Amino acid sequence: MGEINSSKKTLCYIGLGSNVGNRYEHILQALELLQDTDGVKMLRVSALEETKPVGPPQPDYLNGVAAIETTLAPLDLLDRLQAIEKQLGREHIEKWGPRTIDLDILYYGDETITHPRLTVPHPEIAQREFVQRELKQAGYHG
Ligand code: A4P
Ligand code: MG
């Protein structure tokens, strides 16, 4: 018998990063657009902190993590995050390169996802101390 899964709520953690232009403003706008999304409830946001770039030489980042509850399926959430990135004027130039806004799904409940478009948990969490710190501030306890 079919279950109605469309209303299933999942606790997710979203990583936010910006290192071009008004970084604070980009992150605030991304949070507002995320909060205004149907099927997304904003629960908590970490402090925003300045971090040294990982990857090629580029300006410092402002990073943070948001905890959300969502009824969106993982790829629908990714679509929405990418639409927000686009709306905020992000152009994809190089991997790990500078960006107005980068939105990553760090965790989607306790799911492990291996898909051409989506790897969850985000593979860089273990290497990025600032992400781990911000996750805790956003309420993640492992
Ligand atoms: N994708 C796969 N898994 C995910 C996921 N969990 N969340 C795919 C979001 N997207 C995911 O991403 C490329 C593709 O990854 C997407 O099309 C999506 O289908 P992208 O954002 O266009 O490219 P990217 O960000 O350059 O690559 P990637 O692998 O997402 O890198 P990261 O880990 O996001 O690193 N230094 C500091 N200090 N702070 C930062 O925030 N961020 C990066 C980007 C590099 N250096 C940084 C920071
Ligand atoms: Mg990314």
Side-chain angles (χ1 to χ4, degrees):
M1 231 192 312
E3 242 184 66
I4 301 171
N5 280 323
S6 61
S7 63
K8 195 182 127 203
K9 290 186 192 129
T10 306
L11 175 60
C12 299
Y13 292 87
I14 308 297
L16 302 104
S18 171
N19 75 340
V20 172
N22 191 333
R23 302 170 304 169
Y24 186 75
E25 196 59 35
H26 294 146
I27 289 182
L28 281 194
Q29 284 176 2
L31 287 169
E32 273 173 25
L33 290 167
L34 193 53
Q35 175 160 259
D36 288 347
T37 300
D38 283 342
V40 171
K41 184 179 166 197
M42 186 72 64
L43 299 179
R44 204 173 156 116
V45 182
S46 73
L48 304 182
E49 63 179 308
E50 194 150 50
T51 62
K52 292 291 168 201
V54 180
Q58 55 186 302
D60 288 354
Y61 277 79
L62 194 64
N63 280 112
V65 169
I68 65 170
E69 196 173 67
T70 190
T71 55
L72 296 178
L75 288 175
D76 293 333
L77 179 59
L78 180 66
D79 283 343
R80 178 60 184 148
L81 296 181
Q82 292 184 343
I84 293 173
E85 289 181 341
K86 216 167 168 186
Q87 198 171 335
L88 293 182
R90 174 168 171 189
E91 291 168 16
H92 190 84
I93 302 161
E94 60 169 325
K95 182 171 167 70
W96 285 19
R99 67 280 310 286
T100 50
I101 192 77
D102 185 31
L103 300 171
D104 291 324
I105 302 175
L106 301 174
Y107 290 108
Y108 184 92
D110 58 7
E111 289 189 31
T112 299
I113 302 166
T114 308
H115 179 276
R117 292 185 59 208
L118 188 60
T119 305
V120 173
H122 192 284
E124 294 302 318
I125 295 172
Q127 283 77 254
R128 296 183 187 169
E129 210 180 292
F130 63 88
V131 176
Q132 295 168 35
R133 188 162 51 238
E134 292 160 1
L135 271 165
K136 279 190 192 137
Q137 290 175 359
Y140 181 78
H141 296 299

